[in-house]
Amino acid sequence: SRLEESVKTTITQNPVVVYSKTWCSYSFEVKALFKRLGVQPLVIELDELGPQGPQLQKVLERLTGQHTVPNVFIGGKHIGGCTDTVKLYRKGELEPMLSEANAK
Amino acid sequence: SRLEESVKTTITQNPVVVYSKTWCSYSFEVKALFKRLGVQPLVIELDELGPQGPQLQKVLERLTGQHTVPNVFIGGKHIGGCTDTVKLYRKGELEPMLSEANAK
Ligand SMILES: N[C@@H](CCC(=O)N[C@@H](CS)C(=O)NCC(=O)O)C(=O)O
Ligand SMILES: N[C@@H](CCC(=O)N[C@@H](CS)C(=O)NCC(=O)O)C(=O)O
Ligand code: FES
């Protein structure tokens, strides 16, 4: 679908993309982690898009199997949610990924 | 109001009360902490009450100044959210409170 193509374009054209909800603390936490690492992700707040929000969430679920927020992509690759991203950081694997994706 | 009275009764008659939302990870985390401590809080899922959910949230905001979830009470006392409860736990202050409120 057109929406699916636009999501694919968004995640391949931006080093780091976070699909988020403004009032969700897990979304806030992952955005704060990137900020601390000096990374400016593209943040898409699904609750500020009107009817397109739930449609985008369905597309993300089709593409990644994940319907929850936050939904994180680095270098076009699906990373997962907040706990996944924090785990990679703690293992020292997140920063090399960010460098490789030219995010830092 | 009647709703305000019912909230006051609920928080005084139950040792631990958590106002929550089923899909919220911070609500999940605080419920999981109590479970690990062997405590069975009274959990009220605000997103499962229909129109009463937002009404209850307004009452909680009037009574505690907090409109967010999770909203935690121990022994009739307002504790705060997830980060507040976890902080008390880490400082060793949560478990004495739970014992005093006969929650454990
Ligand atoms: N472990 C996941 C949890 C994600 C999660 O459960 N997100 C919640 C909000 S905090 C959500 O999107 N809930 C909507 C739903 O479950 O339908 C992560 O760390 O991102
Ligand atoms: N620090 C607070 C954060 C609470 C919070 O922001 N909760 C969010 C959901 S995770 C909420 O209720 N958002 C609704 C709103 O902001 O209106 C806690 O630990 O509980
Ligand atoms: S909605 Fe509460 S942590 Fe996401």
Side-chain angles (χ1 to χ4, degrees), chain A residues 23 25-26 29 69, chain B residues 23 25-26 29 69:
Chain A
W23 36 260
S25 300
Y26 261 36
E29 273 190 24
V69 287
Chain B
W23 36 261
S25 300
Y26 261 37
E29 274 190 23
V69 287

Side-chain angles (χ1 to χ4, degrees), chain B residues 67-81:
Chain B
H67 70 276
T68 57
V69 287
N71 203 334
V72 179
F73 296 82
I74 298 175
K77 203 169 141 260
H78 179 236
I79 300 297

